[in-house]
Amino acid sequence: MTLPIYLTILGTIAFLAAVIGIFGLFIVSRGVARFSTRGVINVFLWLIVFAATALIMGSAREYTSQYSVTLSGYAGVMPWVVWWLRLSSVALVGVAAMAILMNWSKRSTLRGGTWLLVGLAAMFVAGVASSVLGTKPEFIHQSLYTVLLMLALALTPPIAPELVAVYAKRVLAFLLYGSLILALINPEHYVQTGYSGIIPGFNFRLHGLAPHANGLGPLALLYLLLAYWVPGKRFWHLLGNLVALVVLILAQSKTAWLTALFTLFVLLAYRLSQQVSMEMKSARVGWVTTLGLGLFFTLLLSTLAIFVTANPLDTISRIVTADSELSTLTGRTEIWETTLDTWRRAPWFGYGPTLWDVDFRITHGVLAAWHAHNQYIQALGEAGLVGLGALLLYVGALLGYGIKFASETRGVSLALVFLMLIRSISEIPFKMSVLLDVSFLVHFIVFAVLLMLVRRASGMREVPPVSGWNDAALPRTA
Protein backbone atom coordinates (compact mmCIF):
# COMPACT_ATOMS: atom_id res chain seq x y z
CA MET A 1 0.00 0.00 0.00
CA THR A 2 2.95 2.34 0.60
CA LEU A 3 4.06 2.54 -3.03
CA PRO A 4 0.62 3.55 -4.44
CA ILE A 5 0.32 6.24 -1.77
CA TYR A 6 3.72 7.64 -2.66
CA LEU A 7 2.88 7.56 -6.37
CA THR A 8 -0.42 9.32 -5.72
CA ILE A 9 1.29 12.06 -3.69
CA LEU A 10 3.99 12.55 -6.31
CA GLY A 11 1.41 12.62 -9.10
CA THR A 12 -0.68 15.19 -7.26
CA ILE A 13 2.39 17.37 -6.67
CA ALA A 14 3.38 17.11 -10.33
CA PHE A 15 -0.14 18.00 -11.47
CA LEU A 16 -0.35 21.01 -9.15
CA ALA A 17 3.12 22.15 -10.24
CA ALA A 18 2.08 21.94 -13.90
CA VAL A 19 -1.13 23.90 -13.27
CA ILE A 20 0.70 26.57 -11.26
CA GLY A 21 3.40 26.76 -13.94
CA ILE A 22 0.86 27.26 -16.73
CA PHE A 23 -1.02 29.95 -14.81
CA GLY A 24 2.28 31.55 -13.86
CA LEU A 25 3.45 31.73 -17.45
CA PHE A 26 0.10 33.18 -18.51
CA ILE A 27 0.21 35.86 -15.81
CA VAL A 28 3.83 36.75 -16.57
CA SER A 29 3.16 36.95 -20.30
CA ARG A 30 0.17 39.25 -19.76
CA GLY A 31 2.18 41.41 -17.39
CA VAL A 32 5.09 41.72 -19.81
CA ALA A 33 2.70 42.56 -22.65
CA ARG A 34 0.84 45.22 -20.64
CA PHE A 35 3.60 46.91 -18.64
CA SER A 36 6.50 46.19 -20.99
CA THR A 37 9.87 47.56 -19.92
CA ARG A 38 8.43 49.44 -16.94
CA GLY A 39 7.03 46.27 -15.47
CA VAL A 40 10.09 44.16 -16.25
CA ILE A 41 12.60 46.51 -14.67
CA ASN A 42 10.45 47.06 -11.56
CA VAL A 43 9.97 43.33 -11.07
CA PHE A 44 13.73 42.81 -11.36
CA LEU A 45 14.60 45.59 -8.92
CA TRP A 46 12.03 44.74 -6.25
CA LEU A 47 12.56 40.97 -6.34
CA ILE A 48 16.32 41.44 -5.92
CA VAL A 49 15.79 43.90 -3.05
CA PHE A 50 13.20 41.76 -1.24
CA ALA A 51 15.39 38.66 -1.54
CA ALA A 52 18.53 40.45 -0.38
CA THR A 53 16.58 41.99 2.52
CA ALA A 54 15.13 38.64 3.58
CA LEU A 55 18.60 37.09 3.54
CA ILE A 56 19.98 39.74 5.90
CA MET A 57 16.97 39.70 8.22
CA GLY A 58 16.82 35.90 8.36
CA SER A 59 20.53 35.22 8.83
CA ALA A 60 22.65 35.00 11.94
CA ARG A 61 24.96 37.99 11.77
CA GLU A 62 28.23 37.89 13.71
CA TYR A 63 30.73 40.63 14.50
CA THR A 64 34.03 38.80 14.75
CA SER A 65 36.24 41.85 15.30
CA GLN A 66 36.08 45.63 15.33
CA TYR A 67 36.45 45.55 11.54
CA SER A 68 34.55 42.43 10.58
CA VAL A 69 30.95 41.41 10.11
CA THR A 70 29.94 38.09 8.60
CA LEU A 71 26.80 36.09 8.02
CA SER A 72 27.13 32.69 9.63
CA GLY A 73 26.65 30.84 6.38
CA TYR A 74 23.85 29.08 4.57
CA ALA A 75 23.20 26.81 7.55
CA GLY A 76 22.39 29.87 9.66
CA VAL A 77 19.65 31.09 7.31
CA MET A 78 16.05 30.45 8.33
CA PRO A 79 14.25 27.82 6.20
CA TRP A 80 11.59 30.27 4.98
CA VAL A 81 14.36 32.55 3.74
CA VAL A 82 15.94 29.70 1.78
CA TRP A 83 12.64 29.00 0.05
CA TRP A 84 12.05 32.69 -0.58
CA LEU A 85 15.46 32.95 -2.25
CA ARG A 86 14.68 29.95 -4.44
CA LEU A 87 11.29 31.31 -5.44
CA SER A 88 12.80 34.73 -6.14
CA SER A 89 15.42 33.19 -8.42
CA VAL A 90 12.76 31.19 -10.27
CA ALA A 91 10.55 34.28 -10.62
CA LEU A 92 13.41 36.44 -11.91
CA VAL A 93 14.53 33.84 -14.43
CA GLY A 94 10.93 33.22 -15.51
CA VAL A 95 10.17 36.89 -16.11
CA ALA A 96 13.49 37.39 -17.89
CA ALA A 97 12.95 34.36 -20.14
CA MET A 98 9.41 35.44 -20.99
CA ALA A 99 10.56 38.99 -21.78
CA ILE A 100 13.31 37.62 -24.04
CA LEU A 101 10.97 35.27 -25.92
CA MET A 102 8.19 37.82 -26.37
CA ASN A 103 10.47 40.61 -27.56
CA TRP A 104 12.59 38.33 -29.74
CA SER A 105 9.46 37.07 -31.49
CA LYS A 106 8.58 40.65 -32.49
CA ARG A 107 11.82 40.85 -34.51
CA SER A 108 12.06 44.55 -33.75
CA THR A 109 15.36 46.27 -34.46
CA LEU A 110 17.11 47.56 -31.35
CA ARG A 111 19.77 50.15 -32.00
CA GLY A 112 22.52 51.41 -29.75
CA GLY A 113 24.54 49.88 -26.93
CA THR A 114 26.49 47.51 -29.16
CA TRP A 115 29.74 47.74 -27.21
CA LEU A 116 27.90 47.36 -23.92
CA LEU A 117 26.33 44.12 -25.11
CA VAL A 118 29.57 42.91 -26.69
CA GLY A 119 31.38 43.47 -23.39
CA LEU A 120 28.66 41.66 -21.46
CA ALA A 121 28.79 38.74 -23.91
CA ALA A 122 32.58 38.62 -23.62
CA MET A 123 32.36 38.36 -19.83
CA PHE A 124 29.83 35.52 -20.10
CA VAL A 125 31.93 33.63 -22.66
CA ALA A 126 35.06 34.09 -20.53
CA GLY A 127 33.16 32.72 -17.52
CA VAL A 128 32.01 29.67 -19.47
CA ALA A 129 35.54 29.11 -20.79
CA SER A 130 36.99 29.16 -17.27
CA SER A 131 34.21 26.80 -16.14
CA VAL A 132 35.35 24.29 -18.76
CA LEU A 133 39.08 24.94 -19.19
CA GLY A 134 40.06 26.28 -15.77
CA THR A 135 42.14 24.46 -13.19
CA LYS A 136 38.96 23.35 -11.40
CA PRO A 137 36.16 23.16 -13.98
CA GLU A 138 32.68 23.79 -12.60
CA PHE A 139 29.67 25.71 -13.89
CA ILE A 140 27.80 28.05 -11.52
CA HIS A 141 24.27 28.45 -12.84
CA GLN A 142 23.73 31.84 -11.13
CA SER A 143 26.13 33.40 -13.63
CA LEU A 144 23.59 32.54 -16.34
CA TYR A 145 20.77 34.17 -14.35
CA THR A 146 22.44 37.58 -14.13
CA VAL A 147 23.16 37.59 -17.86
CA LEU A 148 19.55 36.61 -18.58
CA LEU A 149 18.28 39.61 -16.63
CA MET A 150 20.56 42.03 -18.45
CA LEU A 151 19.79 40.45 -21.83
CA ALA A 152 16.05 40.71 -21.13
CA LEU A 153 16.46 44.41 -20.41
CA ALA A 154 18.51 44.84 -23.59
CA LEU A 155 15.76 43.24 -25.70
CA THR A 156 12.86 45.22 -24.24
CA PRO A 157 11.80 48.53 -25.83
CA PRO A 158 13.59 51.54 -24.33
CA ILE A 159 12.13 53.84 -21.72
CA ALA A 160 13.31 57.25 -20.57
CA PRO A 161 16.55 56.81 -18.60
CA GLU A 162 15.21 59.29 -16.05
CA LEU A 163 12.48 56.74 -15.27
CA VAL A 164 15.14 54.14 -14.54
CA ALA A 165 16.61 56.59 -12.04
CA VAL A 166 13.18 57.11 -10.46
CA TYR A 167 12.51 53.39 -10.10
CA ALA A 168 16.01 52.81 -8.74
CA LYS A 169 15.61 55.60 -6.19
CA ARG A 170 12.49 53.90 -4.84
CA VAL A 171 14.16 50.56 -4.15
CA LEU A 172 17.27 52.26 -2.79
CA ALA A 173 15.11 54.38 -0.48
CA PHE A 174 13.49 51.15 0.77
CA LEU A 175 16.91 49.77 1.68
CA LEU A 176 18.16 53.00 3.27
CA TYR A 177 15.03 53.71 5.33
CA GLY A 178 14.86 50.05 6.30
CA SER A 179 18.48 50.07 7.46
CA LEU A 180 17.88 53.00 9.81
CA ILE A 181 14.52 51.75 11.13
CA LEU A 182 15.76 48.22 11.80
CA ALA A 183 18.92 49.61 13.42
CA LEU A 184 16.69 51.39 15.94
CA ILE A 185 14.49 48.33 16.52
CA ASN A 186 17.22 45.69 16.72
CA PRO A 187 20.65 47.36 16.90
CA GLU A 188 22.43 44.11 17.87
CA HIS A 189 21.75 42.72 14.41
CA TYR A 190 22.26 45.77 12.21
CA VAL A 191 24.77 47.95 14.09
CA GLN A 192 28.32 47.03 15.01
CA THR A 193 29.61 48.51 18.26
CA GLY A 194 33.19 48.92 19.43
CA TYR A 195 34.29 50.05 15.98
CA SER A 196 37.30 52.36 15.74
CA GLY A 197 36.58 54.68 12.84
CA ILE A 198 38.03 58.02 11.84
CA ILE A 199 35.06 60.05 13.11
CA PRO A 200 35.63 61.06 16.75
CA GLY A 201 32.95 59.74 19.07
CA PHE A 202 31.45 57.32 16.53
CA ASN A 203 32.33 53.90 17.93
CA PHE A 204 29.58 52.15 16.02
CA ARG A 205 29.05 51.23 12.39
CA LEU A 206 25.81 50.75 10.46
CA HIS A 207 25.64 47.60 8.34
CA GLY A 208 21.88 47.73 7.88
CA LEU A 209 20.28 45.74 5.07
CA ALA A 210 23.57 44.97 3.36
CA PRO A 211 26.02 42.13 3.97
CA HIS A 212 28.60 44.70 5.06
CA ALA A 213 28.87 48.44 5.60
CA ASN A 214 31.12 48.56 2.53
CA GLY A 215 28.08 47.41 0.56
CA LEU A 216 25.68 49.82 2.27
CA GLY A 217 27.76 52.94 1.60
CA PRO A 218 27.63 52.60 -2.22
CA LEU A 219 23.82 52.24 -2.05
CA ALA A 220 23.55 55.60 -0.28
CA LEU A 221 25.99 57.22 -2.69
CA LEU A 222 24.12 55.80 -5.70
CA TYR A 223 20.87 57.28 -4.37
CA LEU A 224 22.47 60.71 -3.97
CA LEU A 225 23.89 60.64 -7.50
CA LEU A 226 20.54 59.68 -9.01
CA ALA A 227 18.78 62.33 -6.90
CA TYR A 228 21.24 64.95 -8.18
CA TRP A 229 20.42 63.96 -11.77
CA VAL A 230 16.65 63.52 -11.32
CA PRO A 231 15.84 65.73 -8.31
CA GLY A 232 12.59 65.95 -6.41
CA LYS A 233 11.10 69.01 -4.76
CA ARG A 234 8.61 67.42 -2.40
CA PHE A 235 9.29 66.87 1.28
CA TRP A 236 9.82 63.11 1.10
CA HIS A 237 12.32 63.52 -1.73
CA LEU A 238 14.39 65.93 0.35
CA LEU A 239 14.04 63.61 3.34
CA GLY A 240 15.32 60.75 1.18
CA ASN A 241 18.44 62.75 0.35
CA LEU A 242 19.00 63.41 4.06
CA VAL A 243 18.53 59.73 4.93
CA ALA A 244 21.00 58.70 2.21
CA LEU A 245 23.58 61.18 3.53
CA VAL A 246 23.11 59.94 7.11
CA VAL A 247 23.48 56.30 6.03
CA LEU A 248 26.61 57.17 4.03
CA ILE A 249 28.15 58.69 7.14
CA LEU A 250 27.03 56.02 9.64
CA ALA A 251 28.27 53.17 7.42
CA GLN A 252 31.80 54.55 7.93
CA SER A 253 32.93 52.98 4.66
CA LYS A 254 36.17 54.67 3.72
CA THR A 255 35.96 53.20 0.22
CA ALA A 256 32.50 54.77 -0.22
CA TRP A 257 33.77 58.09 1.16
CA LEU A 258 36.73 58.05 -1.22
CA THR A 259 34.35 57.26 -4.08
CA ALA A 260 32.03 60.08 -3.00
CA LEU A 261 34.96 62.52 -2.97
CA PHE A 262 36.09 61.43 -6.41
CA THR A 263 32.59 61.58 -7.91
CA LEU A 264 32.21 65.04 -6.38
CA PHE A 265 35.39 66.05 -8.23
CA VAL A 266 33.93 64.58 -11.44
CA LEU A 267 30.69 66.55 -11.06
CA LEU A 268 32.60 69.72 -10.15
CA ALA A 269 34.95 69.32 -13.11
CA TYR A 270 31.97 68.86 -15.41
CA ARG A 271 30.27 72.00 -14.09
CA LEU A 272 33.46 74.03 -14.42
CA SER A 273 34.18 72.71 -17.90
CA GLN A 274 30.68 73.64 -19.00
CA GLN A 275 31.09 77.14 -17.62
CA VAL A 276 34.50 77.54 -19.23
CA SER A 277 33.11 76.32 -22.54
CA MET A 278 30.31 78.89 -22.41
CA GLU A 279 32.66 81.71 -21.44
CA MET A 280 35.23 80.76 -24.06
CA LYS A 281 32.53 81.00 -26.69
CA SER A 282 31.86 84.55 -25.60
CA ALA A 283 35.65 85.24 -25.46
CA ARG A 284 35.73 85.85 -21.73
CA VAL A 285 36.97 83.64 -18.92
CA GLY A 286 35.79 84.64 -15.46
CA TRP A 287 38.33 84.85 -12.66
CA VAL A 288 36.12 82.67 -10.43
CA THR A 289 36.15 79.87 -13.01
CA THR A 290 39.88 80.16 -13.50
CA LEU A 291 40.49 80.04 -9.76
CA GLY A 292 38.16 77.06 -9.36
CA LEU A 293 39.81 75.09 -12.15
CA GLY A 294 43.24 75.90 -10.78
CA LEU A 295 42.26 74.72 -7.31
CA PHE A 296 40.69 71.54 -8.65
CA PHE A 297 43.65 70.49 -10.77
CA THR A 298 46.08 71.44 -8.00
CA LEU A 299 44.30 69.09 -5.62
CA LEU A 300 44.12 66.38 -8.27
CA LEU A 301 47.81 66.64 -9.19
CA SER A 302 48.84 66.74 -5.53
CA THR A 303 46.90 63.55 -4.84
CA LEU A 304 48.46 61.84 -7.84
CA ALA A 305 51.93 63.01 -6.82
CA ILE A 306 51.54 61.56 -3.34
CA PHE A 307 50.29 58.32 -4.81
CA VAL A 308 53.06 57.99 -7.39
CA THR A 309 55.95 58.90 -5.09
CA ALA A 310 54.88 56.17 -2.68
CA ASN A 311 54.65 52.49 -3.45
CA PRO A 312 51.26 52.24 -5.27
CA LEU A 313 50.53 48.72 -4.02
CA ASP A 314 51.42 49.72 -0.47
CA THR A 315 49.30 52.87 -0.75
CA ILE A 316 46.23 50.97 -1.93
CA SER A 317 46.85 48.34 0.75
CA ARG A 318 46.97 50.92 3.53
CA ILE A 319 43.83 52.67 2.29
CA VAL A 320 41.64 49.62 1.93
CA THR A 321 43.09 47.51 4.74
CA ALA A 322 42.01 50.14 7.25
CA ASP A 323 38.45 49.31 6.25
CA SER A 324 38.97 45.63 5.58
CA GLU A 325 37.11 42.82 7.27
CA LEU A 326 40.42 40.98 7.17
CA SER A 327 42.57 43.55 8.93
CA THR A 328 43.13 41.37 11.97
CA LEU A 329 43.90 38.28 9.86
CA THR A 330 46.17 38.29 6.83
CA GLY A 331 45.43 41.59 5.04
CA ARG A 332 44.38 42.03 1.46
CA THR A 333 47.86 42.07 -0.02
CA GLU A 334 48.30 38.44 1.00
CA ILE A 335 44.96 37.61 -0.62
CA TRP A 336 46.11 39.32 -3.81
CA GLU A 337 49.40 37.41 -3.77
CA THR A 338 47.59 34.10 -3.26
CA THR A 339 45.23 34.86 -6.15
CA LEU A 340 48.09 35.85 -8.46
CA ASP A 341 50.05 32.71 -7.55
CA THR A 342 46.97 30.66 -8.43
CA TRP A 343 46.62 32.50 -11.74
CA ARG A 344 50.25 31.82 -12.73
CA ARG A 345 49.51 28.09 -12.72
CA ALA A 346 46.80 28.58 -15.38
CA PRO A 347 47.47 31.94 -17.04
CA TRP A 348 44.94 31.73 -19.88
CA PHE A 349 41.74 30.46 -18.23
CA GLY A 350 42.54 30.75 -14.54
CA TYR A 351 41.40 28.61 -11.65
CA GLY A 352 37.68 28.56 -12.43
CA PRO A 353 34.50 30.05 -10.95
CA THR A 354 35.01 28.41 -7.55
CA LEU A 355 38.00 30.59 -6.76
CA TRP A 356 37.87 31.52 -3.06
CA ASP A 357 35.10 29.08 -2.26
CA VAL A 358 35.17 27.09 1.01
CA ASP A 359 37.55 24.41 -0.29
CA PHE A 360 39.94 27.00 -1.72
CA ARG A 361 39.96 29.01 1.51
CA ILE A 362 40.62 25.93 3.63
CA THR A 363 43.43 24.84 1.31
CA HIS A 364 45.17 28.21 1.56
CA GLY A 365 44.35 28.85 5.22
CA VAL A 366 42.41 32.11 4.65
CA LEU A 367 38.92 31.33 5.90
CA ALA A 368 37.62 34.92 6.01
CA ALA A 369 38.33 35.81 2.36
CA TRP A 370 35.22 35.42 0.21
CA HIS A 371 36.92 36.79 -2.92
CA ALA A 372 40.17 38.44 -4.04
CA HIS A 373 39.10 41.93 -2.83
CA ASN A 374 40.07 43.41 -6.19
CA GLN A 375 37.95 43.06 -9.32
CA TYR A 376 40.84 42.80 -11.77
CA ILE A 377 42.90 40.38 -9.69
CA GLN A 378 39.73 38.33 -9.14
CA ALA A 379 39.08 38.21 -12.90
CA LEU A 380 42.69 37.21 -13.53
CA GLY A 381 42.65 34.45 -10.94
CA GLU A 382 39.19 33.19 -11.84
CA ALA A 383 39.25 33.32 -15.66
CA GLY A 384 42.87 34.15 -16.53
CA LEU A 385 43.96 36.55 -19.25
CA VAL A 386 40.78 35.76 -21.17
CA GLY A 387 38.65 36.86 -18.24
CA LEU A 388 40.70 40.00 -17.62
CA GLY A 389 40.47 40.95 -21.30
CA ALA A 390 36.69 40.50 -21.25
CA LEU A 391 36.40 42.60 -18.10
CA LEU A 392 38.49 45.41 -19.58
CA LEU A 393 36.34 45.37 -22.73
CA TYR A 394 33.17 45.68 -20.66
CA VAL A 395 34.63 48.37 -18.39
CA GLY A 396 35.84 50.26 -21.46
CA ALA A 397 32.31 50.22 -22.88
CA LEU A 398 30.87 51.52 -19.59
CA LEU A 399 33.48 54.26 -19.41
CA GLY A 400 32.96 55.26 -23.03
CA TYR A 401 29.21 55.61 -22.63
CA GLY A 402 29.67 57.35 -19.29
CA ILE A 403 31.81 60.00 -20.96
CA LYS A 404 29.52 60.25 -23.97
CA PHE A 405 26.42 61.07 -21.92
CA ALA A 406 28.07 63.19 -19.23
CA SER A 407 26.65 66.35 -20.76
CA GLU A 408 23.12 64.96 -20.91
CA THR A 409 23.18 63.76 -17.30
CA ARG A 410 25.13 66.67 -15.77
CA GLY A 411 28.12 64.40 -15.25
CA VAL A 412 26.18 61.68 -13.42
CA SER A 413 26.68 58.98 -16.08
CA LEU A 414 30.44 59.26 -15.65
CA ALA A 415 30.12 59.42 -11.86
CA LEU A 416 28.09 56.18 -11.90
CA VAL A 417 30.85 54.41 -13.80
CA PHE A 418 33.48 55.70 -11.37
CA LEU A 419 31.29 54.44 -8.52
CA MET A 420 31.88 50.96 -9.92
CA LEU A 421 35.52 51.46 -10.90
CA ILE A 422 36.76 52.83 -7.58
CA ARG A 423 34.95 50.10 -5.68
CA SER A 424 36.76 47.62 -7.94
CA ILE A 425 39.99 48.44 -6.09
CA SER A 426 38.90 46.60 -2.95
CA GLU A 427 35.69 44.75 -3.92
CA ILE A 428 34.28 42.85 -6.92
CA PRO A 429 31.20 44.85 -8.04
CA PHE A 430 31.13 43.15 -11.47
CA LYS A 431 30.71 39.64 -10.08
CA MET A 432 28.24 37.82 -12.33
CA SER A 433 27.67 34.66 -10.26
CA VAL A 434 25.64 36.35 -7.47
CA LEU A 435 22.09 37.36 -8.35
CA LEU A 436 20.27 38.21 -5.12
CA ASP A 437 22.75 40.70 -3.74
CA VAL A 438 22.98 44.48 -3.43
CA SER A 439 26.24 44.53 -5.39
CA PHE A 440 24.50 43.14 -8.45
CA LEU A 441 21.66 45.60 -7.81
CA VAL A 442 24.09 48.52 -8.19
CA HIS A 443 25.61 46.96 -11.31
CA PHE A 444 22.18 46.37 -12.85
CA ILE A 445 21.05 49.96 -12.20
CA VAL A 446 24.19 51.44 -13.79
CA PHE A 447 23.81 49.09 -16.77
CA ALA A 448 20.13 50.02 -17.20
CA VAL A 449 20.77 53.77 -17.04
CA LEU A 450 23.55 53.67 -19.63
CA LEU A 451 21.59 51.31 -21.90
CA MET A 452 18.53 53.55 -21.94
CA LEU A 453 20.68 56.63 -22.52
CA VAL A 454 22.33 55.11 -25.57
CA ARG A 455 19.03 53.79 -26.89
CA ARG A 456 17.50 57.26 -26.72
CA ALA A 457 20.56 58.74 -28.41
CA SER A 458 20.17 56.23 -31.25
CA GLY A 459 16.73 57.67 -32.03
CA MET A 460 14.65 54.74 -30.81
CA ARG A 461 11.08 55.52 -29.79
CA GLU A 462 10.52 55.15 -26.07
CA VAL A 463 7.66 53.12 -24.64
CA PRO A 464 4.62 55.41 -24.13
CA PRO A 465 2.95 55.66 -20.71
CA VAL A 466 0.60 52.80 -19.83
CA SER A 467 -2.92 53.45 -18.58
CA GLY A 468 -2.92 53.04 -14.81
CA TRP A 469 0.86 53.37 -14.62
CA ASN A 470 1.18 56.97 -13.45
CA ASP A 471 4.79 57.81 -14.27
CA ALA A 472 4.48 60.27 -17.12
CA ALA A 473 5.56 63.17 -14.91
CA LEU A 474 8.05 61.26 -12.74
CA PRO A 475 11.25 62.63 -14.31
CA ARG A 476 10.16 66.14 -13.35
CA THR A 477 8.88 65.43 -9.85
CA ALA A 478 10.75 62.43 -8.43
Side-chain angles (χ1 to χ4, degrees), residues 335-375:
I335 298 173
W336 296 345
E337 291 170 359
T338 301
T339 306
L340 292 175
D341 288 340
T342 303
W343 160 68
R344 293 186 184 98
R345 300 188 186 100
W348 285 105
F349 299 101
Y351 180 84
T354 58
L355 181 71
W356 290 110
D357 66 354
V358 176
D359 294 337
F360 187 91
R361 297 199 302 271
I362 292 175
T363 301
H364 292 83
V366 188
L367 298 180
W370 297 88
H371 48 72
H373 285 277
N374 179 281
Q375 181 68 67

Side-chain angles (χ1 to χ4, degrees), residues 211-290:
H212 193 276
N214 288 337
L216 183 63
L219 296 177
L221 179 56
L222 177 59
Y223 182 93
L224 291 172
L225 289 173
L226 295 176
Y228 172 77
W229 174 33
V230 186
K233 298 180 180 179
R234 298 181 181 179
F235 170 76
W236 55 83
H237 298 135
L238 301 178
L239 182 61
N241 296 339
L242 178 61
V243 167
L245 183 60
V246 170
V247 170
L248 181 61
I249 295 173
L250 295 183
Q252 297 209 58
S253 172
K254 299 176 186 67
T255 304
W257 292 350
L258 178 64
T259 306
L261 182 62
F262 195 88
T263 53
L264 181 61
F265 280 168
V266 170
L267 297 177
L268 177 61
Y270 166 75
R271 293 289 296 271
L272 291 175
S273 65
Q274 291 293 101
Q275 186 175 348
V276 168
S277 177
M278 293 175 60
E279 293 180 347
M280 289 294 290
K281 289 179 180 180
S282 60
R284 59 184 181 86
V285 179
W287 67 271
V288 175
T289 302
T290 305

